[in-house]
Amino acid sequence: DTGVSQDPRHKITKRGQNVTFRCDPISEHNRLYWYRQTLGQGPEFLTYFQNEAQLEKSRLLSDRFSAERPKGSFSTLEIQRTEQGDSAMYLCASSLAPGDSPLHFGNGTRLTVT
Amino acid sequence: QQPVQSPQAVILREGEDAVINCSSSKALYSVHWYRQKHGEAPVFLMILLKGGEQKGHDKISASFNEKKQQSSLYLTASQLSYSGTYFCGTELGYSTLTFGKGTMLLVSP
């Protein structure tokens, strides 16, 4: 068990550019979550997958955000036409079903949009 | 619906006790507690399912009052390593956790 890994750890981009983040969950975990966290706030839910199916997406999530989990293994989160308000820590977590299992978080990708 | 945590911050001396509360306006299926140290990922502490059970390990325990939709995290005889921000995450039964804004705990020598 190597834990949840995220890549890159840091990303600086200019406004309007597209960025993609990757998350590798714990291998036997079938659930994968994306959260966003800004300074002084708790993690904010973005979306989650069970295996390869995206089961829920936050209503607050802009259409510029898209996530995939091909083959139910790693996941990618893409942000198109980044805005300064997208600057945050993007956290990935994985867990076993059912829903009352603990979440194991990765160390996150810190995005800075200039 | 984001749960409400109180207090926002706590400063303790080593060995003192603290209670962190988490409340929701919605009927809860479960409550999770996590601790996050600066620059690190949140780390799981415990889960409480509806039914009013109490859980604990070491000197950290928690309770869940289903009637009040409240959970409390109890830290006794605090240690320096307890410093960090504590988040409760509430689940309504739809498999996604909604986290509170966190309670910052600082334990000094």
Side-chain angles (χ1 to χ4, degrees):
Chain A
D1 177 1
T2 56
V4 178
S5 63
Q6 293 188 243
D7 184 67
R9 290 296 307 274
H10 303 275
K11 178 71 177 179
I12 300 174
T13 191
K14 291 186 177 180
R15 190 175 54 187
Q17 298 294 305
N18 298 344
V19 294
T20 300
F21 310 140
R22 177 179 171 124
C23 171
D24 287 89
I26 293 172
S27 57
E28 61 267 27
H29 285 183
N30 51 4
R31 290 193 174 182
L32 187 148
Y33 303 79
W34 285 99
Y35 281 86
R36 175 172 62 191
Q37 188 175 28
T38 53
L39 194 62
Q41 300 295 318
E44 175 195 9
F45 170 76
L46 296 179
T47 188
Y48 98 96
F49 295 83
Q50 180 154 319
N51 300 314
E52 66 274 11
Q54 187 173 17
L55 295 188
E56 189 172 342
K57 191 174 174 180
S58 169
R59 287 171 294 174
L60 301 176
L61 200 59
S62 161
D63 289 343
R64 298 182 295 106
F65 287 70
S66 63
E68 294 184 340
R69 193 184 181 197
K71 302 178 184 177
S73 56
F74 71 92
S75 176
T76 58
L77 177 69
E78 181 184 17
I79 309 174
Q80 296 182 326
R81 305 181 303 281
T82 52
E83 302 172 356
Q84 286 189 318
D86 296 333
S87 295
M89 176 71 83
Y90 288 83
L91 293 167
C92 176
S94 69
S95 73
L96 289 168
D100 56 358
S101 299
L103 268 58
H104 297 258
F105 283 90
N107 285 324
T109 293
R110 180 166 295 285
L111 173 67
T112 302
V113 182
T114 61
Chain B
Q1 189 81 16
Q2 186 176 38
V4 176
Q5 287 187 235
S6 63
Q8 287 186 314
V10 183
I11 299 176
L12 298 174
R13 288 196 179 273
E14 209 172 357
E16 292 181 337
D17 302 340
V19 180
I20 299 171
N21 299 304
C22 173
S23 64
S24 173
S25 59
K26 301 274 189 180
L28 299 175
Y29 174 74
S30 70
V31 178
H32 296 221
W33 286 97
Y34 293 78
R35 177 172 60 210
Q36 185 176 31
K37 294 183 180 285
H38 183 69
E40 299 180 9
V43 173
F44 169 75
L45 294 175
M46 64 188 76
I47 292 176
L48 299 104
L49 303 178
K50 67 177 182 179
E53 65 178 281
Q54 184 152 349
K55 277 193 174 181
H57 57 83
D58 198 9
K59 293 178 180 144
I60 300 176
S61 62
S63 64
F64 181 16
N65 186 323
E66 188 181 345
K67 288 183 181 178
K68 293 185 178 181
Q69 303 307 325
Q70 288 179 351
S71 179
S72 295
L73 186 72
Y74 307 94
L75 302 110
T76 58
S78 58
Q79 305 168 15
L80 296 177
S81 62
Y82 287 2
S83 292
T85 301
Y86 289 77
F87 294 100
C88 69
T90 54
E91 184 187 1
L92 304 180
Y94 304 125
S95 300
T96 57
L97 280 184
T98 302
F99 287 93
K101 292 187 176 182
T103 295
M104 194 176 340
L105 177 71
L106 176 63
V107 181
S108 61

